[in-house]
Amino acid sequence: MTGFSRVDGTHADARWTWELRSVNGKGLDVRLRVPHGRESVDPAVRALAREHLTRGNLNATLSITHDTPRTTIQLNEEVLEDVLKIATAVAGRIDATAPSVDGLLGLRGVLEFTENEETEEQRAAFDAALVAGFERALTDLVAARADEGRALAEIAGRQIDEIERLTAAAEACPERSLEAIRKRIAEQVATLTEASGELDPQRLHQEAVFIANKADIREELDRLTAHVAAARALLADGKVVGRKLDFLAQEFNREVNTLCSKSNSVELTTIGLDLKAVVDQLREQIQNIE
């Protein structure tokens, strides 16, 4: 969901630039910075962002430069004449220096500052040009994000392949076979029986069956296989699948945690830990996918 775009344009005497940056985010958060007086573009710009994006933190900055001054300065002749008359009258009564030019111009009302106001038609036309420029920048940003998405899909695809390989390794692990489990439990029962003749063999057999059933990871392996197929289907969809992949990654994590907790051998535990590492990497990458 990361990307950058920049679009420049002109309208009348103004030159403007849109800069868009997006970073990862669970939802869509649009942060807009526009010059004072151009807040009127806000609703249209946010609507376009929601139309083209579903996730990510979007920062959009608009800068505007005018080729002609936006403020006109005029000399108020009447006020200046009154000030000079008063200054002359006062100077005749006391020994005073003549007023300086900067002193006169600094008096309130001598200079008048007038903002060059836009007409409604001019404002509407400028706003339309700015919104159209934002849409072009947004299109470029979406294209940049799509390029990144294709690269991320390849990385996620390789991670899913690794999950499938490790799931197959867990499936083939000799230590999880019924014969291996029976042998281990039989050895443990024999050791306990020899240590204490008071132990009930029938009770020990029941406990052994319970432990064997608890250690079975058949369901976890089946679910992991199903999740692998579902993840590949989502990546091949090419649509907005980030939230679905995020949920699926949580399911991957849940099954792997259960597999590790049920593990009854060093080899299976090692496979489980490798699976957990790959799933964590997959979850991190999925945060970047819209």
Side-chain angles (χ1 to χ4, degrees):
M1 287 178 285
T2 60
F4 172 81
S5 68
R6 175 189 172 106
V7 169
D8 300 311
T10 60
H11 180 82
D13 70 331
R15 289 175 285 114
W16 52 263
T17 300
W18 277 109
E19 284 192 357
L20 274 58
R21 291 180 173 84
S22 71
V23 295
N24 303 336
K26 291 185 177 181
L28 179 61
D29 182 17
V30 180
R31 300 177 183 179
L32 188 62
R33 293 171 54 188
V34 299
H36 176 68
R38 298 260 66 107
E39 294 83 1
S40 51
V41 303
D42 189 291
V45 164
R46 291 184 183 276
L48 283 170
R50 290 192 295 269
E51 181 181 338
H52 289 81
L53 306 173
T54 58
R55 299 180 76 189
N57 296 321
L58 175 65
N59 289 281
T61 301
L62 171 65
S63 57
I64 300 174
T65 303
H66 292 274
D67 295 330
T68 57
R70 305 306 295 167
T71 302
T72 301
I73 304 176
Q74 292 181 329
L75 179 65
N76 190 320
E77 296 285 356
E78 292 183 1
V79 173
L80 178 60
E81 187 65 28
D82 290 341
V83 169
L84 290 174
K85 288 180 181 179
I86 295 172
T88 302
V90 172
R93 299 179 183 179
I94 62 174
D95 184 14
T97 58
S100 63
V101 174
D102 57 344
L104 289 172
L105 295 180
L107 293 175
R108 183 177 179 180
V110 174
L111 294 180
E112 294 181 344
F113 298 85
T114 304
E115 294 289 336
N116 294 329
E117 299 266 343
E118 288 179 306
T119 65
E120 289 297 326
E121 293 76 13
Q122 289 173 331
R123 172 173 288 278
F126 195 8
D127 284 355
L130 293 175
V131 171
F134 176 83
E135 188 168 19
R136 293 202 303 274
L138 194 59
T139 299
D140 292 346
L141 180 72
V142 169
R145 285 166 49 128
D147 290 340
E148 184 197 33
R150 283 187 285 271
L152 291 174
E154 293 181 6
I155 296 173
R158 291 195 294 270
Q159 291 166 339
I160 292 170
D161 290 343
E162 181 65 6
I163 292 173
E164 182 180 49
R165 185 190 70 79
L166 290 170
T167 300
E171 175 84 39
C173 179
E175 296 298 319
R176 65 167 295 272
S177 67
L178 183 59
E179 293 75 15
I181 294 174
R182 284 176 176 172
K183 181 180 178 181
R184 257 193 326 273
I185 292 177
E187 291 174 352
Q188 293 171 357
V189 169
T191 300
L192 290 172
T193 304
E194 290 175 4
S196 175
E198 298 178 0
L199 293 175
D200 182 1
Q202 182 63 29
R203 177 65 176 172
L204 286 172
H205 175 74
Q206 293 175 355
E207 291 296 330
V209 171
F210 174 76
I211 293 172
N213 289 332
K214 188 176 180 180
D216 183 36
I217 60 171
R218 176 74 269 155
E219 289 186 9
E220 287 70 30
L221 294 176
D222 289 343
R223 291 195 188 101
L224 284 171
T225 300
H227 295 339
V228 165
R232 284 178 174 155
L234 287 174
L235 288 176
D237 193 324
K239 297 179 181 178
V240 178
V241 295
R243 292 184 183 277
K244 293 180 180 179
L245 283 171
D246 194 22
F247 173 77
L248 197 57
Q250 296 177 36
E251 294 300 307
F252 271 122
N253 191 61
R254 183 178 293 109
E255 300 305 331
V256 171
N257 284 339
T258 305
L259 184 149
C260 288
S261 67
K262 287 185 174 183
S263 174
N264 54 11
S265 72
V266 174
E267 182 179 354
L268 191 57
T269 298
T270 300
I271 294 173
L273 292 175
D274 289 343
L275 269 169
K276 187 169 180 60
V278 178
V279 169
D280 285 343
Q281 294 170 4
L282 178 63
R283 293 180 69 182
E284 184 176 345
Q285 289 299 334
I286 284 174
Q287 298 304 314
N288 301 317
I289 297 176
E290 184 173 9

